[in-house]
Amino acid sequence: MEEKLQWLCLSCLMVFASFFSLSGSTSAAHHHQRDVLHPVVLLPGFSCGQIEARLTDAYDSPSPLCGVRKGDGRWFRLWKNSTGLQDLPDVPCFADQLRLVYDPTAGDYRNVPGVETRVLSFGSTRGFLSDDPADKEICMGRLVEALERIGYIDGESLFGAPYDLRHAPAAPELPNREFSRFRRSLTALVEHASRRNGGKPAILVSHSQGGLLALEFLNRSPLAWRRRLVKHFIMASTGAGGIVVTMKGLAASDGAGVLSMRRVKRSFESAFAGLPSPAVFGGETPLVVTRARNYTARDMPEFLSAAGLPASAVSLYLSRALPVALNLRAPLVPMTCVNGVGVPTPEKLVYWDGDVDKDPEVLHGDGDGVVNLASILALDAVFGEDPGQRGCYRSIKMANTTHIGVVSDAFAVERLVHEILEAGRANQTCVLPTAGHWPLRI
């Protein structure tokens, strides 16, 4: 009996020893995985950045209700504000405080006087995963979860770069305070991410509108800095030439009101950033059809006028947004473009009676449901054929995958994680161009 007890105790000790040995090796493997990961910085889509506001005494309230917070110094959620979007009494206040104005003296877009704003939680992915569960699908939440499962930790090896959806890059020589501030913040974040991870360069991963900001950020950063601190750029659901559906958004009416949401959207500088580029869509293919005339990408100023925008707005499109679209170029760091295709996508808008306030008949072509195939294919010409991207450009097209599906469908998220890990392992360098960037010809 005593001998049996001794064997039983010995067996227990062996089991416990095996357990602790296994736990230790698993923990060590997990730490090793984290040690070899390159830091990742995520730039989400258009609507994902959360904006807070406060009202100073300088705010000229359109009604007593809109001015209840005036001068109290407290920050409140301006975007994404479900109450402001849905509660009829709050809509005029929300719209007035969210809109932008163009300051001709400063030559730049500003908040309405008396409205101060800030983007929440820059540096963290939590800054764009708002209270709405649906935003997990839209705002890279599924990708965040997948990265955390393989050892990424928010604030340590995983970072977020949310932005103010109302603003956009302007031509480099023009005042552009908000984008300049974003560039400084993102520069500091990439440098911090690298330092925090033993000097390893960061992998930038963007979705939708975030890709356009990332491209401009990279191309306006010194080349030596890019090559030292950016390991790879993965751009998801972004084309090289704008999207037709943006034209519908600028034209469509949303009914009468003190300040309609259409007018608010038209006040955003970003409203013009995604318009179809004549460099990609050309001057032959009609994008808008009416009984009186057709409009191509080269006719954009005339279309904007027909849609009811004032001459000042058309002028700002020509001077601020169009030069950025025409100067789109390769970032000269290793790059992978990931896009969905095979989904019906608005390709032509028909306003037969010429009334752009009415919903158009929409003719569909190929794309991801938002980005047109023409804009997706142009990536290969603009980036893939640039001598400076030689040997460090890839394009992945996912069949029957939507604009949002690229960052939310399980198989697509798995592929993105694979690309991130492969980018960290790869030893890619881009060939330095001998004569500048490959030109984006019209």
Side-chain angles (χ1 to χ4, degrees):
M1 182 68 177
E2 184 178 346
E3 186 177 348
K4 287 183 179 180
L5 285 173
Q6 288 176 346
W7 275 108
L8 180 62
C9 291
L10 182 60
S11 298
C12 289
L13 287 172
M14 290 173 67
V15 169
F16 278 121
S18 298
F19 172 78
F20 285 116
S21 174
L22 181 62
S23 299
S25 63
T26 302
S27 176
H30 184 67
H31 282 295
H32 174 71
Q33 168 78 342
R34 280 167 42 188
D35 287 342
V36 299
L37 296 174
H38 279 257
V40 168
V41 179
L42 302 182
L43 289 86
F46 175 74
S47 64
C48 297
Q50 304 299 304
I51 304 172
E52 284 191 328
R54 65 181 175 187
L55 308 180
T56 71
D57 291 330
Y59 178 58
D60 185 11
S61 172
S63 73
L65 177 64
C66 298
V68 293
R69 294 187 175 100
K70 183 175 174 177
D72 68 7
R74 290 181 295 178
W75 292 94
F76 61 93
R77 183 70 62 86
L78 182 61
W79 180 270
K80 199 171 186 181
N81 183 338
S82 299
T83 302
L85 284 166
Q86 298 171 10
D87 225 0
L88 285 178
D90 288 338
V91 168
C93 304
F94 169 74
D96 187 63
Q97 293 157 13
L98 186 65
R99 67 189 173 99
L100 295 179
V101 294
Y102 181 74
D103 181 350
T105 303
D108 201 1
Y109 284 83
R110 297 283 189 264
N111 289 322
V112 171
V115 177
E116 297 177 351
T117 55
R118 66 183 183 186
V119 176
L120 281 179
S121 304
F122 187 88
S124 169
T125 61
R126 305 304 185 252
F128 46 84
L129 298 178
S130 71
D131 306 328
D132 187 348
D135 282 348
K136 274 199 172 182
E137 307 292 328
I138 299 169
C139 298
M140 306 178 90
R142 300 302 177 200
L143 178 59
V144 169
E145 291 173 344
L147 290 172
E148 289 178 337
R149 283 196 294 271
I150 63 169
Y152 276 95
I153 298 174
D154 188 74
E156 294 185 14
S157 52
L158 180 61
F159 305 88
Y163 51 88
D164 189 324
L165 79 163
R166 303 170 300 166
H167 293 273
E173 68 275 9
L174 297 179
N176 198 194
R177 183 176 66 177
E178 188 62 31
F179 183 62
S180 297
R181 181 184 295 151
F182 176 78
R183 284 176 56 208
R184 290 193 299 272
S185 298
L186 186 51
T187 297
L189 179 60
V190 171
E191 292 173 351
H192 166 76
S194 177
R195 284 195 306 271
R196 185 76 186 251
N197 290 271
K200 291 193 286 289
I203 299 169
L204 270 58
V205 184
S206 67
H207 180 241
S208 192
Q209 181 78 359
L212 297 178
L213 270 70
L215 271 175
E216 287 302 312
F217 164 75
L218 289 170
N219 277 313
R220 299 187 196 193
S221 300
L223 181 58
W225 183 93
R226 279 178 258 169
R227 297 204 158 180
R228 179 169 57 89
L229 286 165
V230 178
K231 176 72 172 174
H232 204 102
F233 174 35
I234 299 174
M235 188 172 76
S237 299
T238 305
I243 52 180
V244 172
V245 75
T246 306
M247 301 174 74
K248 182 176 182 290
L250 280 171
S253 174
D254 56 359
V258 176
L259 184 61
S260 72
M261 285 310 299
R262 176 177 65 156
R263 287 175 56 197
V264 173
K265 292 171 187 173
R266 285 177 165 187
S267 78
F268 296 173
E269 183 167 20
S270 58
F272 304 100
L275 287 170
S277 168
V280 171
F281 288 87
E284 304 300 324
T285 304
L287 305 178
V288 171
V289 175
T290 71
R291 192 192 311 271
R293 65 162 296 178
N294 297 336
Y295 298 91
T296 70
R298 286 189 182 161
D299 301 320
M300 197 60 65
E302 291 84 355
F303 169 76
L304 295 175
S305 296
L309 276 81
S312 58
V314 177
S315 177
L316 290 172
Y317 160 73
L318 289 169
S319 63
R320 295 178 71 88
L322 184 59
V324 174
L326 297 181
N327 195 38
L328 194 73
R329 60 199 192 278
L332 307 186
V333 297
M335 179 182 192
T336 302
C337 294
V338 184
N339 290 89
V341 294
V343 179
T345 303
E347 189 171 80
K348 193 170 297 185
L349 311 176
V350 180
Y351 300 92
W352 192 240
D353 61 1
D355 186 356
V356 295
D357 272 346
K358 295 180 180 178
D359 285 336
E361 177 188 355
V362 179
L363 305 182
H364 292 83
D366 201 349
D368 69 2
V370 176
V371 181
N372 302 93
L373 183 62
S375 198
I376 294 170
L377 295 178
L379 295 166
D380 297 337
V382 177
F383 303 140
E385 295 179 13
D386 189 313
Q389 284 290 150
R390 192 172 296 140
C392 58
Y393 168 78
R394 294 180 64 222
S395 177
I396 298 170
K397 299 173 182 68
M398 298 182 175
N400 306 316
T401 307
T402 66
H403 190 74
I404 300 302
V406 168
V407 292
S408 62
D409 291 351
F411 80 92
V413 170
E414 184 179 350
R415 181 63 187 270
L416 284 176
V417 171
H418 171 78
E419 292 299 321
I420 290 168
L421 293 176
E422 284 300 303
R425 298 186 191 105
N427 186 25
Q428 278 184 307
T429 56
C430 298
V431 177
L432 280 169
T434 55
H437 288 294
W438 194 254
L440 181 57
R441 294 188 178 91
I442 301 177

